[in-house]
Amino acid sequence: MTDKYAVIGNPIAHSKSPLIHAAFAKQTGQDISYEAMLAPLDGFTAKVLELIAQGYKGANVTVPFKFEAYNLCDVLTERAQHAGAVNTLIFTINHIKGDNTDGAGLIRDIASNFGIALQDARILILGAGGAAQGVFQPILAQQPARLVVANRTLDKAQKMASQFANKVAACTFEGLKNQSFDIIINATSTGLTDTALPIPDTIFTKNCLAYDMMYGRETPFMAQARAAGAQVADGLGMLVEQAAEAFYLWRGVRPQTAPVIAQLRKA
Ligand code: NDP
């Protein structure tokens, strides 16, 4: 019997997850279905319970439900607890288990696909929202030389940094003057509105990696980084890698991601 999975979000029509999981299933010979499901803004829990009643085995969760998913779970993995948000649900007979694969997806994209070591690197995260929160612990586990979070609203960055006792420094964009980095990750949502960030060109060292979590088009952050001599990446690889991690949790099989990333880039 085909095992059923879904991604729940609002909006959801744009989601590439059904394409990605269909490609993984074909590649690994797993008999699964995977659909995009729109949940009303006040109807996330009802949608999850509906899927469970229909025999679904699990689901991915995307904007704006990752925090609600966190609160709904009976069991949380350590990385979901650190992230404070859940993007992968596993339905078992007794409980709903929640995990967060976003951080692992980002690390795998940078380390494996781009071949760039995070260990001993000076790393900057721009933004202190949900996406940023999910990647601190996985990045710290790689033992960077330095980890800084810069955000428009300073107290949010400070609050985030304070969770990691002296391991993360917080500042405003203004505070980035006279600092430079080997890896810079844009985890703000400014790419969605084509807004440039007030960050100095001097933060980009030559050949540093400038990684925008947003995917699908060149953002002002990517354009600025490219002009400053950085190597530039978007978040498509992270998207596919976080999906691969979820697929592994559900099916116990690790799909190859490179052909799927190439397929999506071509499309
Ligand atoms: P949130 O809404 O939680 O956070 C938004 C962040 O962007 C905040 O830090 C906010 O700053 C900052 N911001 C928004 N507008 C501006 C602005 N005009 N100038 C400066 N800073 C601004 O969003 P998420 O963290 O959920 O998502 C962030 C991005 O990451 C999105 O583009 C999303 O698509 C992407 N993403 C990609 C994934 C992938 O798999 N590739 C996975 C998850 C997310 P402030 O605190 O001051 O408001």
Side-chain angles (χ1 to χ4, degrees):
M1 231 176 61
T2 304
D3 287 339
K4 294 184 285 189
Y5 299 89
V7 57
I8 309 169
N10 187 334
I12 198 64
H14 67 285
S15 175
K16 294 192 190 308
S17 294
L19 260 175
I20 295 170
H21 283 277
F24 288 165
K26 192 171 170 199
Q27 187 198 105
T28 58
Q30 292 284 310
D31 185 10
I32 67 156
S33 67
Y34 188 107
E35 306 145 71
M37 297 254 176
L38 180 75
L41 291 175
D42 61 352
F44 173 71
T45 299
K47 178 60 78 182
V48 170
L49 297 179
E50 188 186 310
L51 295 187
I52 292 170
Q54 290 173 6
Y56 279 71
K57 300 281 183 193
N60 283 131
V61 181
T62 187
V63 176
F65 299 126
K66 288 184 187 181
F67 301 110
E68 219 175 316
Y70 177 87
N71 290 323
L72 180 67
C73 289
D74 308 302
V75 180
L76 290 164
T77 62
E78 205 180 313
R79 46 191 192 181
Q81 286 173 40
H82 282 301
V86 157
N87 79 336
T88 304
L89 299 172
I90 301 153
F91 304 144
T92 68
I93 296 171
N94 301 318
H95 58 240
I96 302 172
K97 184 175 176 182
D99 200 349
N100 192 311
T101 65
D102 282 336
L106 174 74
I107 302 294
R108 207 178 291 267
D109 196 32
I110 293 176
S112 304
N113 299 340
F114 288 95
I116 293 173
L118 289 93
Q119 187 170 15
D120 297 329
R122 294 164 300 166
I123 302 178
L124 168 65
I125 298 177
L126 300 166
Q133 171 81 37
V135 301
F136 280 101
Q137 189 60 33
I139 289 177
L140 285 172
Q142 300 291 312
Q143 300 181 311
R146 193 149 186 262
L147 183 55
V148 176
V149 55
N151 195 44
R152 178 176 61 178
T153 313
L154 178 61
D155 64 343
K156 275 208 219 166
Q158 286 172 329
K159 203 169 157 204
M160 208 162 260
S162 70
Q163 296 166 32
F164 302 97
N166 299 328
K167 291 183 180 159
V168 181
C171 64
T172 58
F173 298 132
E174 178 84 339
L176 290 170
K177 278 182 196 152
N178 305 320
Q179 298 194 57
S180 56
F181 298 90
D182 306 305
I183 299 173
I184 300 173
I185 299 161
N186 182 17
T188 71
S189 52
T190 49
L192 297 169
T193 50
D194 269 336
T195 309
L197 285 162
I199 47 174
D201 286 341
T202 45
I203 59 172
F204 301 101
T205 48
K206 196 158 175 52
N207 297 323
C208 81
L209 176 69
Y211 191 104
D212 202 318
M213 284 197 188
M214 159 111 179
Y215 53 84
R217 64 194 149 98
E218 175 110 339
T219 64
F221 166 76
M222 290 162 77
Q224 180 182 1
R226 199 184 296 284
Q231 181 185 350
V232 171
D234 74 2
L236 187 70
M238 174 180 174
L239 177 77
V240 174
E241 295 294 347
Q242 64 77 26
E245 188 73 15
F247 191 88
Y248 176 72
L249 290 173
W250 291 329
R251 310 303 300 177
V253 186
R254 210 170 266 291
Q256 284 185 14
T257 50
V260 180
I261 295 171
Q263 181 191 329
L264 288 177
R265 288 228 182 273
K266 221 166 135 193

